[in-house]
Amino acid sequence: MNREKFYITTPIYYPSDKLHIGHTYCTVATDAMARYKRLKGCDVMFLTGTDEHGQKIEDKAKEAGVSPKAFVDNIVEGPRGVKDLWKLMNISNDRFIRTTDDYHMASVQQIFKKMYEKGDIYKGTYKGKYCKPCESFWTESQLVDGKCPDCGREVQDAEEEAYFFRLSKYADRVQDLLENTDFLQPRSRVNEMVNNFIKPGLEDLCVSRTSFTWGIPVDFDPGHVVYVWVDALFNYTTALGFLNDRYDDYAKYWPADVHFVGKEIVRFHSIIWPAMLMSMEMPLPKHVFGHGWLLLDGGKMSKSKGNVVDPYILAEQFGVDALRFFLMRTFPFGSDGNFSNELLIQTINTDLANDLGNLVSRTTAMVGKYFGGALPQGCGPVADELALAQMAAQGQQISLQAADPADPVLFDAQLVVAAAGLRGAYEGCMESFAPHKALDEVFKVIQRANKYIDENTPWVLAKDMQANGPRLAHVMYNLLEATRICGVLLTPFMPASMDKLFDQIGAGSGCRTWESAGVWGSLPPTTAVSKGENLFPRVDLDKALEQLEQAQADAAGADAGPAVELEPWVEENVDFDTFCKSDFRVVKVKACEPVPKSKKLLRFTLDDGSGTDRQILSGIAMYYKAEELVGKTLVAIVNLPPRKMMGLDSCGMLISAVHHEQGEEKLHLIMVDDAIPAGAKLC
Ligand code: MSP
């Protein structure tokens, strides 16, 4: 049988800094969608990766004193890097592309040449503005208050010989695509694109750069590198083997079913991307979905503003599934949402600990207590319930009435109808890219099931097992069955926890499937139930906030500590004049103390010979005790710009030697002869 294919992508991330919770949001959403489609039996291709070229990366690498490749390797493959983060978050991508992969680079060169040979790329001169952080070109009139309209940062003048893509040629076709199809979602993004970018007149796009070298060379014109967005967008096709031999499933998976992207890159995906595909005469992706941002204190998170939230810290403290769930449950996927630790903890406590966790632990505990862990034969669904369930599963509207509103048969019917109809409602939400609404549907059933416990008061029934035993068993069965159906539909969001949940309620592999989620009564009635570990423990708000603060302070200290071992920048020599600009001085330690709340930082008060004390913070508390350094004669570079760490200024850097012994990092401060006076210059 030919399975339906589903190709879904995340944006490929810039490895210019460690990823934050905003990046994690998009990847978790894509993962949940991919897992949902797999659950339904689709043949899924889920691609993610990293977008490693461009001026920003080149500059960052220079700042770090390493080659661009070493720089990105560290962020992508290194400890707590991109790949580690996706592993931790249980991301089930089928493929990971790095735009520095040879096969991708060779394909992009061919793509560029094809568009050039077709006449859609031509040579000219670029004169305008450039936003380095966004790697975006702008005209004067597009700027907002003279700054980048996307990120609000300073732009710089750019004038250079460049190749241009005839974007203007495709303006009408792109406008038609946006206005007359469901290509771009949510619909609200269409007006923004058409009114802000297409109607004012689409200008041709500058697609090569000459002022830096970290990019894919234009092979027929050395000196030019391909504009990073052209390089990046085609990743969606090269990762399938388009114009390369590395993979062989372009024909099978292209066009993409959906690209999930953040709202600020919708322009690239809904205007530039389809235009280039039209030029290449390639099929267009079926959908682009522009999701909102996670905001912190109402603003976008960014490393430069220092307001990023570290997903590692949250996942380690609250658990991966709780974090995944929170991201998908709390923020409507197409809109912005305000992130806060309090909101995260509140969601865990309300939905996971109270609603879902309690349902599972109360039900399994009662099956254990009243039935020794296995329900008796015959407690499963009765014929009327099966008929109702079937109608609900087919999406029929069912109105339930009983003479007595406290009739237990009515309670049963209400629960059965809610749980049996859940899969259809959930599917509708997932198919329209509304995971938050799908979760809302699941939680309505979980809440209904908890209410069902209160309506049936099993502890009262249990007082007379002889009379009420069969009724109690049926109540328990219904609870297990409703829990199971919810569990199946929560699997794409919390895969590891749902496996544990299934083990506890005794749902074997046949009862964990998409098909079984649409069939009330799939769980065998006599299945063995065991009350296991508490799936979602309640979080103490104050204690957790305190721990988070500590973890964040420690992480800030770690960031300030010695960098991980990196391959040195060997491609460029430092000229003598540049070298001479570094001001190394002998300094004497007058005082040294640990920085409160940081495990790594020591605060030095130094005599640098100037007559005024110099303060330097150094992340070396793992190697030295503060008191043992007082009186030592050290070396510092003193003309670095001051840097804030843990709210304190650090004016310079102490010089140390770092090496590795049996995989462990060793650090030695450079100590010189005490006879050398403070302030002596090293040259
Ligand atoms: N490299 C480009 C994408 C190229 S795709 C062909 C890029 N990279 S990025 O690392 O800057 O951003 C990757 C994604 O993370 C974007 O979709 C962006 O919107 C998303 N997010 C970054 N910060 C975010 C939030 N605070 N909230 C939600 N998503 C955000 O753009």
Side-chain angles (χ1 to χ4, degrees):
M1 196 185 72
N2 242 351
R3 291 193 296 153
E4 190 189 328
K5 73 93 186 166
F6 185 75
Y7 178 31
I8 185 168
T9 66
T10 69
I12 48 171
Y13 297 87
Y14 287 128
S16 52
D17 286 303
K18 299 251 159 167
L19 300 190
H20 58 65
I21 196 75
H23 304 113
T24 311
Y25 175 59
C26 183
T27 312
V28 167
T30 315
D31 185 64
M33 195 68 198
R35 286 178 184 270
Y36 153 72
K37 287 285 183 176
R38 284 194 206 105
L39 185 66
K40 282 181 73 179
C42 294
D43 175 354
V44 172
M45 168 60 73
F46 166 13
L47 173 71
T48 188
T50 40
D51 180 5
E52 305 187 357
H53 291 123
Q55 198 172 354
K56 183 167 57 175
I57 303 265
E58 184 175 293
D59 287 357
K60 283 247 172 182
K62 271 195 184 139
E63 246 171 62
V66 294
S67 71
K69 184 66 169 67
F71 181 83
V72 291
D73 279 353
N74 181 43
I75 296 187
V76 178
E77 314 268 352
R80 292 192 161 224
V82 180
K83 287 191 173 172
D84 271 2
L85 178 61
W86 298 156
K87 202 162 153 206
L88 171 76
M89 293 306 299
N90 207 354
I91 301 301
S92 63
N93 55 299
D94 300 286
R95 214 157 272 177
F96 189 102
I97 186 170
R98 297 184 58 181
T99 55
T100 49
D101 290 340
D102 289 346
Y103 73 89
H104 169 79
M105 300 201 2
S107 302
V108 168
Q109 287 180 323
Q110 291 186 62
I111 290 165
F112 198 89
K113 200 187 284 161
K114 274 182 191 281
M115 291 196 279
Y116 176 70
E117 281 165 358
K118 186 175 179 179
D120 275 355
I121 285 183
Y122 62 92
K123 203 169 190 174
T125 303
Y126 178 78
K127 194 166 183 310
K129 303 287 178 187
Y130 193 71
C131 173
K132 211 179 344 159
C134 295
E135 303 277 12
S136 298
F137 293 105
W138 299 105
T139 58
E140 191 80 50
S141 64
Q142 287 174 316
L143 302 180
V144 175
D145 299 331
K147 305 229 168 91
C148 171
D150 273 355
C151 71
R153 280 178 277 206
E154 295 291 338
V155 290
Q156 49 190 228
D157 289 321
E159 178 166 0
E160 57 193 56
E161 180 191 82
Y163 285 93
F164 287 83
F165 171 67
R166 289 190 200 283
L167 189 56
S168 53
K169 175 175 159 186
Y170 295 98
D172 291 346
R173 279 177 70 190
V174 171
Q175 183 169 350
D176 182 52
L177 173 76
L178 296 184
E179 288 185 330
N180 300 319
T181 73
D182 62 357
F183 171 78
L184 176 58
Q185 296 184 25
R187 190 77 206 164
S188 54
R189 307 236 179 258
V190 171
N191 289 344
E192 193 190 329
M193 289 302 120
V194 173
N195 295 338
N196 296 358
F197 298 107
I198 301 187
K199 286 203 173 143
L202 263 192
E203 292 183 21
D204 289 351
L205 178 74
C206 180
V207 288
S208 79
R209 306 290 314 271
T210 52
S211 52
F212 64 93
T213 54
W214 183 239
I216 302 179
V218 174
D219 53 355
F220 56 87
D221 195 348
H224 285 258
V225 293
V226 175
Y227 175 44
V228 65
W229 270 101
V230 176
D231 167 356
L233 285 162
F234 277 97
N235 93 86
Y236 300 132
T237 62
T238 60
L240 300 177
F242 180 67
L243 296 182
N244 66 67
D245 297 334
R246 173 68 189 272
Y247 297 108
D248 189 21
D249 24 33
Y250 174 75
K252 181 172 173 192
Y253 291 114
W254 191 256
D257 291 272
V258 63
H259 298 306
F260 276 1
V261 301
K263 64 177 187 179
E264 86 283 22
I265 59 171
V266 162
R267 183 169 67 94
F268 296 97
H269 283 83
S270 67
I271 298 178
I272 297 171
W273 181 220
M276 287 195 300
L277 288 168
M278 287 169 188
S279 167
M280 290 290 292
E281 294 168 34
M282 291 161 73
L284 305 183
K286 292 186 195 149
H287 303 292
V288 168
F289 189 95
H291 66 75
W293 284 343
L294 291 196
L295 306 174
L296 203 66
D297 305 323
K300 191 174 184 228
M301 289 178 203
S302 85
K303 178 85 186 200
S304 58
K305 282 198 248 160
N307 67 348
V308 292
V309 175
D310 185 344
Y312 273 102
I313 294 181
L314 298 180
E316 279 159 5
Q317 185 161 339
F318 301 107
V320 168
D321 278 353
L323 180 57
R324 289 174 58 109
F325 172 78
F326 162 72
L327 293 174
M328 294 296 95
R329 165 81 163 139
T330 316
F331 308 106
F333 193 46
S335 330
D336 290 350
N338 261 314
F339 175 91
S340 77
N341 291 328
E342 288 80 356
L343 189 58
L344 166 61
I345 296 168
Q346 194 186 319
T347 308
I348 294 176
N349 283 343
T350 309
D351 291 340
L352 295 181
N354 281 1
D355 288 354
L356 177 59
N358 264 339
L359 174 63
V360 177
S361 63
R362 287 207 287 175
T363 305
T364 52
M366 289 190 289
V367 176
K369 188 166 167 197
Y370 305 140
F371 297 97
L375 298 178
Q377 268 304 352
C379 69
V382 296
D384 283 355
E385 287 169 347
L386 288 176
L388 273 178
Q390 211 169 6
M391 285 160 62
Q394 286 161 356
Q396 294 185 31
Q397 286 298 327
I398 301 166
S399 117
L400 294 168
Q401 271 150 10
D404 173 7
D407 183 349
V409 176
L410 180 65
F411 299 149
D412 294 350
Q414 285 171 340
L415 182 65
V416 169
V417 165
L422 175 59
R423 194 186 74 168
Y426 169 100
E427 187 177 18
C429 302
M430 291 302 277
E431 292 296 326
S432 54
F433 310 123
H436 57 291
K437 288 193 184 157
L439 285 172
D440 205 37
E441 294 296 335
V442 176
F443 272 75
K444 280 189 212 155
V445 176
I446 291 173
Q447 282 148 12
R448 184 67 196 83
N450 275 319
K451 187 167 165 221
Y452 180 79
I453 298 183
D454 300 337
E455 287 165 341
N456 284 288
T457 54
W459 47 93
V460 176
L461 293 174
K463 285 189 181 147
D464 185 353
M465 281 305 272
Q466 196 141 28
N468 302 328
R471 170 71 198 150
L472 184 57
H474 189 57
V475 168
M476 288 298 125
Y477 179 83
N478 287 345
L479 285 169
L480 289 175
E481 188 55 344
T483 307
R484 179 191 68 81
I485 289 174
C486 293
V488 174
L489 301 177
L490 287 174
T491 305
F493 298 91
M494 298 187 282
S497 307
M498 289 310 105
D499 274 348
K500 290 184 191 158
L501 176 147
F502 292 136
D503 289 344
Q504 294 191 6
I505 64 169
S509 56
C511 304
R512 302 178 182 192
T513 61
W514 175 255
E515 290 67 32
S516 76
V519 183
W520 178 265
S522 297
L523 189 72
T526 55
T527 176
V529 169
S530 56
K531 182 168 163 31
E533 64 172 296
N534 191 352
L535 291 177
F536 302 106
R538 240 194 113 68
V539 177
D540 178 321
L541 180 75
D542 291 337
K543 221 155 105 195
L545 289 176
E546 206 175 291
Q547 276 170 3
L548 270 180
E549 212 168 294
Q550 177 64 50
Q552 268 150 5
D554 287 348
D559 274 355
V564 287
E565 194 179 19
L566 291 175
E567 172 196 324
W569 171 274
V570 286
E571 290 159 32
E572 196 178 64
N573 292 322
V574 175
D575 63 59
F576 188 68
D577 287 347
T578 309
F579 166 70
C580 287
K581 283 185 193 151
S582 306
D583 193 357
F584 290 96
R585 300 283 176 150
V586 169
V587 292
K588 307 258 176 193
V589 182
K590 291 174 75 175
C592 179
E593 60 194 42
V595 173
K597 289 198 180 158
S598 168
K599 286 190 183 150
K600 312 264 162 79
L601 286 180
L602 294 181
R603 172 182 176 186
F604 289 82
T605 307
L606 302 162
D607 174 4
D608 62 5
S610 67
T612 312
D613 287 349
R614 172 178 294 273
Q615 173 168 289
I616 291 185
L617 303 180
S618 183
I620 58 171
M622 309 83 89
Y623 306 99
Y624 292 97
K625 288 205 168 57
E627 54 278 14
E628 73 187 85
L629 294 172
V630 178
K632 298 284 186 217
T633 308
L634 309 176
V635 175
I637 176 165
V638 295
N639 61 341
L640 291 175
R643 198 174 151 197
K644 266 224 174 343
M645 298 181 207
M646 308 283 294
L648 299 166
D649 279 333
S650 180
C651 304
M653 201 170 85
L654 292 171
I655 307 301
S656 22
V658 179
H659 67 109
H660 287 84
E661 232 172 70
Q662 289 162 354
E664 207 186 312
E665 193 171 67
K666 305 272 178 190
L667 177 142
H668 310 267
L669 276 172
I670 301 297
M671 297 191 191
V672 295
D673 193 333
D674 287 335
I676 308 175
K681 191 171 165 67
L682 274 74
C683 49

